[in-house]
Amino acid sequence: MLVCLATAACLYLPPLAEIVGRRALVVAVHEWSGVLLPVPLLLGLGSRALRADLGRLNRFAPYDKEWLRAARRRDVRPGARPAGKFNAGQKLYAAWIAGAVLVMLGTGLLMWFPGVGPVVWRTSATFVHDWLALAVGVVVVGHVAKAYGDPGARRGMRTGSVERAWAEREHPRWKPE
């Protein structure tokens, strides 16, 4: 995802394009990184742990509504945001980014192979692709900023494990799952 975003920035922002140069190479890297973006997830489907996590991400529990209400009110009191292994915000982010990747893949392929349909398809695909890329960039930057502010979450993403105290504080319903 980061390669797609970085190469897209080099394609659309003139100061970056001047620094990087070699537009044809940047285009090729962008296209192939976009097409290959779903591959790690598809390969990971062989993992029972990943399939279990996808199941958790795909189901909203009654306490997720409480989490969303508390987040909307910016309530940070202990216990105000009950969460299992994934909180409601992470579930919404995962669903949104999965849908965005599929739309970006479809529109990107229409742009890559312009002869597949009429000109209006390519024009529409370019419009959707560009604006959705901007939205994805903003959301990914927000996601990274949120993770930056939580050392326990960063450790979990980096190593695959978190401290018990962090899990009990941030995701108190994780163990019952």
Side-chain angles (χ1 to χ4, degrees):
M1 178 64 77
L2 293 178
V3 171
C4 286
L5 290 172
T7 54
C10 291
L11 292 170
Y12 283 95
L13 300 174
L16 287 178
E18 289 176 17
I19 292 170
V20 174
R22 304 195 62 187
R23 184 173 176 82
L25 177 62
V26 174
V27 168
V29 170
H30 182 75
E31 290 170 342
W32 283 105
S33 64
V35 168
L36 297 174
L37 189 60
V39 171
L41 177 65
L42 295 174
L43 291 175
L45 290 176
S47 162
R48 184 174 299 177
L50 177 65
R51 289 193 310 271
D53 281 349
L54 290 174
R56 287 185 186 105
L57 281 168
N58 199 33
R59 282 190 288 282
F60 275 79
Y63 55 80
D64 287 325
K65 290 179 184 175
E66 291 176 47
W67 190 97
L68 290 170
R69 277 193 295 274
R72 193 175 57 232
R73 291 188 315 264
R74 301 191 189 287
D75 187 351
V76 294
R77 290 175 296 137
R81 297 186 185 188
K85 183 173 184 180
F86 302 105
N87 65 44
Q90 291 167 318
K91 292 176 183 182
L92 287 174
Y93 175 80
W96 187 83
I97 207 74
V101 165
L102 291 175
V103 171
M104 295 294 282
L105 183 60
T107 57
L109 288 171
L110 280 171
M111 292 169 18
W112 198 359
F113 301 106
V116 172
V119 174
V120 71
W121 287 11
R122 182 184 163 106
T123 305
S124 301
T126 302
F127 179 80
V128 170
H129 195 86
D130 291 353
W131 282 102
L132 187 54
L134 179 62
V136 167
V138 168
V139 171
V140 167
V141 166
H143 185 75
V144 170
K146 191 73 173 160
Y148 184 76
D150 189 343
R154 280 198 325 272
R155 180 177 180 264
M157 288 185 278
R158 196 174 55 254
T159 66
S161 64
V162 295
E163 294 176 6
R164 181 174 299 278
W166 181 90
E168 289 171 351
R169 183 181 70 249
E170 299 293 329
H171 297 267
R173 295 184 181 254
W174 186 348
K175 192 170 182 172
E177 289 181 352

